[in-house]
Structure formats: C-alpha cells, structure tokens
C-alpha cells in the first residue's frame, strides 16, 4: 500500500518562489509514489485575515496555483479546510489533552504577535488546529518548509499524549523537508515571505518579473573581480530552483568565481531560468483562471475524499474518549 502524505498552505496572499521551493515542489515530486492530501488552510488564515473578499480570492488563487505548479487532481486529493469541518471537532478533542505550556513554547505565536498580528486565542492555539489537520488523515509524512518543523513536532507530541491516555488512536507522522532547498531568501536577502514584501511571484508578466529580479540586492564587488556565489541571493535562488548538481548551476558558480561577470548577467540568467522553469505552469494558470467550473469540481471531489477519511479518524477519536 502507498504511504500517505498531507500538507497545506494558508491562503494569505500570492504564493512565491519560497513556497514553491520549500513546500509545493515536494508535493508535486511525491505524486505517484504517495497517496496525497493537500489542502488550503482557510481556517488558519482567519488568524491573520479579517477581509472576507480578500480571503475568498486568496483561497481560489492558492487552488489555481497548486494545480498550475503541477499537482494532478487524479493523483492528489485537493480540498479546502472548511469543506471538512470535522477537523475542528478533532482540534477540540486534541486541545483537551494538550498542555498549555506546549502552546507557550510555540515560536510562531511569539513571532507573529511581535510583527503586529492580533494576539487572538485562535492564533495561540493555531498549532492544535494544524495537528488536527494532520492527524485527521493518518499520514506517514508531512512535507513542509523548515519553519514548520516545530509544528510537526508539536503534532507528534499531542498525538502521543492522546494515544498514551486513550490507546493507539492516532498514527504519529514525521516531517519531511527538502534539505537542498533550505530557506529561500527574498529580493532583500531576508527570508522570502509574504509578510516582508520581498517575494518573487513566478506568475508575474514577463517584463515585471525581469524588473523584479533586477531589484535583488547584491553587494558592490566590481564587475572585474571574482565573486562568491554562496553569499549571493541571486545564486541562492538559482541553485534552489535548478538544483545544485544541474549543469546550469555549476556554470553560473564558475562565472561568479571567474572575473568579468557583473551581477546584471547573473540576474539575467536567473530570469531566464524562472521563465523556463515555470513556462508550463504560467500557461496552465491562464487556462485554469478561464475555467472556474473545473476548479470547483476538483475541490468537490477532493473534499468528498477527505471527508470520508477524516470521518473515520474522528469517529475513532470520539469513541476512544467516550462519546
Ligand atoms: P509566508 O512566510 O510567505 O507567509 P507561509 O508561512 O505561508 O509563507 O509558508 C507556506 C509554506 O511555504 C511552508 O511550508 C513554509 O515552510 C514554506 N516557505 C515559506 N517561505 C519559504 C522560504 N522563504 N523558503 C522555503 N520555504 C518557505
Ligand atoms: N502552518 C502552515 C503554514 O503556515 C499551514 C498549515 C496548516 C499546514 N495546517 C497544516 C501545513 C498541516 C502542513 C500540515 O505554512
């Protein structure tokens, strides 16, 4: 039997190269070998979004981007979190065994409130809802970017606590991180993130995309001097996309180390790579935008498959606690 994976992204704004390199690419690469559940974390987004219209648009857009990036609905169950409301019931059952100190330790609450997000109870217990998402489909693996590892560890701790109390109800999953991706820097060299306004959206029109890539901050090493690729944001993004062993990456590193390559040239190579790598995705996205009926159908099928699995797990948990 195939192993199962589950993952999700919050619909909080336009997806970017960091989301692709750290998370989505893994889901796409794991198709075929694994049974896949990928969802849009719409309930989670309520911890940071209070604009209903923007939320609706962002949800739609994440689904379209998943499909454009290469998730195949024949191989992956794609659904919206709020189409499977049993997940919130499970979150309650988990919250009753989750010690408060486990939430106090979670770094994302501290980081997000420090950045100005409202300190709501929803934000505080965000990791419990995430644990419910995960445990609700009995996955073996949870592919995510590095910054989510703590959430998967919390999920494991909560599952073990529950199992210890009530018997083996939940499968305890592991995280999976693409080791060669690391944390992708944004155009200012900091972590690429929607909340820092430093992202590169691979679906931008070509001219805008080239202009944005030209804005990537580099140091002031003169054109004729040799440069260190490993400290340069342009090279880091190139390497994450093409792969460290790709001949184009090896050639670019050699050009850095030689003399006479300006950063403008490296940026041009990166723009070509992005356009080439995402060529099919860019085309597919246009088609998807033009066919909302198709997208709705995929979501309905995905939700039906998820509900079936989640109902099983939820009844197991209800029974175990005495309901
Ligand atoms: P953002 O920081 O832009 O709001 P999210 O927190 O919604 O991104 O992250 C969604 C997924 O994408 C997570 O699995 C996360 O680890 C991954 N991810 C986000 N930014 C990066 C990055 N710069 N490099 C690698 N992975 C990332
Ligand atoms: N917290 C994740 C993020 O910010 C989104 C998420 C919610 C998630 N539930 C999940 C990721 C379950 C993996 C599994 O990206």
């Amino acid at each position: 039997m195939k192993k199962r994976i589950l993952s999700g992204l919050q619909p909080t704004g336009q997806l970017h190269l960091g989301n692709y390199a750290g998370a989505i690419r893994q889901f796409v690469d794991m198709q075929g070998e694994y049974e896949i559940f990928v969802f849009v974390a719409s309930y989670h987004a309520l911890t940071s979004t209070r604009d209903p219209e923007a939320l609706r648009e962002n949800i739609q857009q994440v689904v379209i981007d998943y499909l454009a990036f290469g998730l195949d609905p024949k191989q992956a169950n794609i659904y919206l979190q709020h189409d499977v409301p049993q997940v919130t019931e499970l979150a309650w059952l988990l919250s009753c065994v989750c010690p408060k100190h486990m939430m106090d330790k979670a770094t994302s609450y501290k980081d997000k409130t420090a950045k100005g997000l409202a300190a709501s109870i929803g934000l505080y217990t965000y990791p419990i809802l995430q644990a419910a998402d995960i445990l609700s489909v009995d996955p073996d693996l949870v592919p995510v970017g590095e910054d989510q590892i703590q959430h998967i560890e919390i999920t494991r701790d909560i599952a073990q606590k529950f199992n210890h109390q009530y018997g083996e109800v939940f499968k305890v999953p592991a995280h999976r991180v693409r080791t060669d991706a690391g944390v992708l820097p944004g155009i200012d060299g900091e972590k690429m993130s929607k909340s820092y306004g430093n992202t590169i959206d691979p679906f931008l029109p070509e001219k805008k995309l080239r202009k944005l890539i030209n804005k990537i901050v580099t140091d002031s090493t003169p054109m004729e001097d040799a440069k260190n690729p490993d400290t340069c944001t342009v090279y880091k993004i190139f390497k994450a996309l093409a792969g460290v062993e790709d001949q184009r990456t090896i050639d670019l590193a050699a050009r850095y180390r030689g003399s006479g390559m300006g950063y403008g040239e490296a940026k041009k190579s990166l723009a070509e790579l992005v356009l080439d790598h995402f060529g099919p995705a860019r085309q597919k996205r246009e088609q998807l935008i033009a066919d909302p009926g198709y997208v709705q159908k995929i979501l309905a099928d995905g939700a039906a498959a998820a509900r079936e699995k989640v109902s099983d797990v939820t009844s197991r948990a209800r029974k175990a606690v005495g309901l």
Side-chain angles (χ1 to χ4, degrees):
M1 221 176 44
K2 278 186 185 174
K3 289 196 167 171
R4 184 177 301 136
I5 67 166
L6 168 125
S7 198
L9 256 72
Q10 289 192 79
T12 44
Q14 177 59 53
L15 298 187
H16 53 77
L17 289 185
N19 299 136
Y20 174 75
I24 300 172
R25 192 179 200 172
Q26 292 199 79
F27 321 156
V28 174
D29 289 349
M30 291 168 100
Q31 288 184 130
E33 198 181 335
Y34 292 85
E35 187 187 355
I36 299 194
F37 285 83
V38 172
F39 71 103
V40 181
S42 44
Y43 287 142
H44 277 109
L46 291 172
T47 59
S48 61
T49 312
R50 301 264 158 94
D51 178 343
E53 206 38 58
L55 180 59
R56 264 190 285 273
E57 273 174 27
N58 287 335
I59 290 171
Q60 195 65 10
Q61 180 229 301
V62 172
V63 180
I64 287 177
D65 289 355
Y66 277 162
L67 295 166
F69 280 133
L71 271 183
D72 172 6
K74 292 199 186 71
Q75 308 193 63
N77 301 301
I78 303 169
Y79 60 100
L80 307 180
Q81 191 180 29
H82 63 275
D83 281 342
V84 189
Q86 291 100 322
V87 165
T88 54
E89 177 181 355
L90 206 52
W92 180 255
L93 300 185
L94 297 177
S95 73
C96 293
V97 298
C98 178
K100 180 176 166 292
H101 66 77
M102 222 187 256
M103 293 301 102
D104 293 337
K105 274 195 315 202
T107 51
S108 75
Y109 177 82
K110 289 177 217 156
D111 293 348
K112 289 178 178 176
T113 48
K115 274 198 245 145
L117 262 195
S120 66
I121 295 296
L123 187 63
Y124 183 66
T125 58
Y126 180 117
I128 301 181
L129 182 57
Q130 181 158 351
D133 297 326
I134 296 171
L135 299 176
S136 71
V137 303
D138 287 331
D140 298 279
L141 286 175
V142 187
V144 281
E146 257 175 34
D147 61 320
Q148 292 298 311
I149 294 177
Q150 190 187 40
H151 285 156
I152 317 304
E153 280 166 357
I154 291 174
T155 301
R156 292 167 59 86
D157 288 347
I158 298 178
Q160 277 156 351
K161 265 211 153 334
F162 193 100
N163 287 351
H164 181 72
Q165 184 72 46
Y166 294 114
E168 292 299 307
V169 173
F170 296 117
K171 186 163 182 172
V172 182
H175 68 260
R176 189 172 119 153
V177 173
R178 261 191 78 211
T179 44
D180 55 340
V183 173
L184 206 78
I187 58 170
D188 56 358
E190 298 298 315
K191 180 200 161 193
M192 188 179 289
S193 170
K194 279 165 250 164
S195 26
Y196 301 155
N198 63 356
T199 62
I200 300 176
D201 161 14
F203 297 116
L204 280 178
E206 178 171 344
K207 232 171 144 181
K208 282 196 176 154
L209 185 66
R210 288 184 186 275
K211 221 167 149 185
L212 185 63
I213 289 177
N214 274 329
K215 281 197 199 145
I216 296 176
V217 177
T218 49
D219 64 24
S220 51
T221 316
M223 173 114 155
E224 55 282 8
D225 289 6
K227 299 172 180 66
N228 181 359
D230 299 319
T231 54
C232 177
T233 303
V234 180
Y235 178 78
K236 284 184 195 163
I237 299 176
F238 192 103
K239 185 173 77 171
L241 279 186
V244 66
E245 280 163 18
D246 190 278
Q247 194 56 45
R248 293 168 297 182
T249 311
I250 297 168
D251 290 348
L252 182 63
R255 272 159 47 214
Y256 268 80
R257 294 198 180 96
S259 63
M261 188 205 71
Y263 286 119
E265 188 185 325
K267 289 174 180 175
K268 189 157 181 290
S269 299
L270 178 60
E272 298 304 333
L273 177 75
V274 173
L275 287 166
D276 179 51
H277 189 93
F278 294 102
R282 291 163 63 91
Q283 244 178 16
K284 181 104 191 272
R285 190 166 185 266
E286 295 303 313
Q287 291 164 4
L288 290 161
I289 290 172
D291 193 356
Y294 171 72
V295 176
Q296 290 320 314
K297 166 86 173 68
I298 285 168
L299 288 177
D301 292 350
R307 272 196 299 263
E308 195 179 324
K309 181 69 202 153
V310 175
S311 297
D312 259 12
V313 177
T314 311
S315 21
R316 223 159 66 203
R318 276 177 154 237
K319 216 159 140 192
V321 299
L323 299 176

